[in-house]
Amino acid sequence: MTRYLDVRDLFRLIDAIGVPRMLQDIASEIEADFLRWAAFDKTARVAAHSREGVIELMPVADAERFGFKFVNGHPNNTRVGLPTVMAFGALADVATGYPLLLSEFTLATALRTAATSAIAARRLARPGARTMALVGNGAQAEFQALAFHTMLGIDEIRAFDIDPATTDKLERNLAAWPALRIVRADSVASAMRGADIVTTATADKRLATIVDLAWVEPGMHLNAIGGDCPGKTELDPRILERAHVVVEYAPQSRIEGEIQQMPAAFGVTELAEILDGSKAGRLGADDVTVFDSVGFALEDYSTLRYLHASALRLGIGTDIGLVAQAPDPKNLFGYVLDNRHARADGVNASHAVAVKRARSVQATQ
């Protein structure tokens, strides 16, 4: 059977473990898998682009497990009451191809994105960083804020969004963490002034310059998570020319990350190289660093494994018959015939019970 986790099951997992603990746990799984980078069969995600947005499949596998995520990105969805990003994921056994897990992944995507941001920032931000500008206060914002608070000790968020109501929402949701101070900014430039880290999490699908070079100060770390498809950016390309740029998987990032603005020969470092120590992260206190994050399938794989293990351990979720399993694997058609008869018998029995009850009711009237 396949373990199935719906939205309510994800809520139960989050309630049982807690958001800060889940962020740390997922970060540990992701970092451990990035340290096995060579063990994975990797490919850039497969995308179907339209005028309204994009729908993508994100696969990855090692010798034991195959994972994939179905995810969309439709910036105008909020106008019709739908999330900008929606996702589900699956985990399968490589030896047999059998699906082990089918899970809601919209919530999980927000968790793993924030965890990955914090993993990168631990290597790229200045030691002792305490302030973060958060540009774009939508669906990802609270997860990012809590990941940086929990994993790096960020205690002040300088928040800006073009929609003040979205920042209101951020303040309400984070009120349960009084040690994390929210300071409202009236512009991107003012939010960035004096910040150690800048996280950009905007949703518009366009080549935009959300952050101008003039606002970048020596020593800043920029965590750019909003530019994640072709034709969508957030950073002034001059920032990239002057910064140490780290990406998850270069073949994918060159198509849809901030570095899509740069020449094909533009040099970047992959996150796995920073984590295993083969390449340096920050070289000096005044270095400007950029994590050009578009999200990579390995992060989903790590999170799927974590969800599967946690669900089994806590007894959360439902086992479902996702795939047909005939008693004789070579006689799939016979399986259909046998179950057709069983369904017919069930229908006939249900009909007989209904008729008997109806007649009983009529007899008492």
Side-chain angles (χ1 to χ4, degrees):
M1 302 293 280
T2 303
R3 181 59 58 105
Y4 172 59
L5 300 177
D6 66 10
V7 178
R8 292 167 298 180
D9 295 325
L10 261 292
F11 288 153
R12 291 178 63 198
L13 277 174
I14 291 170
D15 287 344
I17 300 170
V19 173
R21 181 74 257 169
M22 284 190 79
L23 286 166
Q24 293 179 76
D25 289 347
I26 291 170
S28 295
E29 296 292 338
I30 291 172
E31 186 162 0
D33 284 334
F34 267 92
L35 288 171
R36 315 190 285 123
W37 185 248
F40 289 91
D41 182 0
K42 300 176 286 290
T43 184
R45 55 189 164 206
V46 179
H49 295 276
S50 66
R51 184 180 62 184
E52 293 78 16
V54 62
I55 297 174
E56 300 169 329
L57 290 177
M58 300 173 62
V60 73
D62 64 5
E64 295 185 359
R65 296 287 182 264
F66 171 90
F68 81 85
K69 182 173 74 176
F70 168 103
V71 63
N72 78 303
H74 286 70
N76 293 327
N77 268 7
T78 54
R79 298 177 185 176
V80 293
L82 291 173
T84 298
V85 175
M86 297 175 285
F88 67 86
L91 188 69
D93 174 54
V94 165
T96 63
Y98 194 85
L100 303 173
L101 176 71
L102 178 65
S103 177
E104 192 285 336
F105 220 78
T106 307
L107 293 168
T109 293
L111 288 163
R112 70 81 156 139
T113 301
T116 305
S117 293
I119 289 170
R122 285 194 297 205
R123 301 304 197 283
L124 297 173
R126 286 179 297 203
R130 290 294 177 266
T131 61
M132 182 169 80
L134 187 51
V135 180
N137 301 159
Q140 301 287 326
E142 291 88 348
F143 297 92
Q144 291 284 325
L146 287 175
F148 280 83
H149 177 56
T150 301
M151 296 173 59
L152 273 84
I154 292 296
D155 55 23
E156 180 175 290
I157 299 293
R158 299 175 181 176
F160 174 76
D161 196 288
I162 57 174
D163 178 8
T166 306
T167 306
D168 294 341
K169 174 269 303 179
L170 178 78
E171 288 184 310
R172 289 194 304 271
N173 288 341
L174 293 179
W177 285 270
L180 183 58
R181 181 174 175 233
I182 309 299
V183 178
R184 297 181 73 113
D186 58 10
S187 68
V188 176
S190 64
M192 289 179 58
R193 195 171 299 121
D196 298 305
I197 298 171
V198 178
T199 289
T200 55
T202 60
D204 280 352
K205 188 182 178 183
R206 61 191 178 95
L207 291 169
T209 301
I210 306 299
V211 176
D212 190 270
L213 175 64
W215 308 331
V216 177
E217 300 174 6
M220 272 185 172
H221 169 59
L222 281 71
N223 174 46
I225 69 168
D228 58 359
C229 68
K232 182 182 178 186
T233 62
E234 297 178 310
L235 303 186
D236 182 337
R238 295 175 298 170
I239 297 171
L240 304 174
E241 293 171 354
R242 291 162 172 77
H244 179 199
V245 180
V246 174
V247 301
E248 289 136 315
Y249 181 54
Q252 179 174 294
S253 298
R254 293 190 188 279
I255 297 170
E256 55 192 33
E258 294 295 328
I259 61 171
Q260 68 184 274
Q261 308 175 76
M262 310 307 290
F266 180 73
V268 297
T269 301
E270 290 187 328
L271 180 59
E273 298 174 298
I274 299 294
L275 296 177
D276 70 13
S278 60
K279 291 192 178 178
R282 172 172 292 275
L283 297 176
D286 289 341
D287 285 354
V288 173
T289 56
V290 173
F291 181 44
D292 179 11
S293 176
V294 299
F296 183 56
L298 183 54
E299 298 150 26
D300 303 314
Y301 169 96
S302 307
T303 307
L304 285 163
R305 284 198 304 104
Y306 173 74
L307 292 179
H308 187 230
S310 298
L312 294 178
R313 174 172 57 86
L314 296 171
I316 293 174
T318 306
D319 288 333
I320 61 172
L322 184 62
V323 295
Q325 290 182 257
D328 178 359
K330 295 183 178 181
N331 190 15
L332 188 61
F333 192 76
Y335 185 49
V336 173
L337 292 178
D338 290 344
N339 280 275
R340 184 188 65 184
H341 297 319
R343 289 194 303 273
D345 291 343
V347 169
N348 291 336
S350 297
H351 178 70
V353 170
V355 169
K356 183 176 181 181
R357 287 177 179 169
R359 287 175 177 170
S360 175
V361 169
Q362 290 172 354
T364 59
Q365 291 177 344

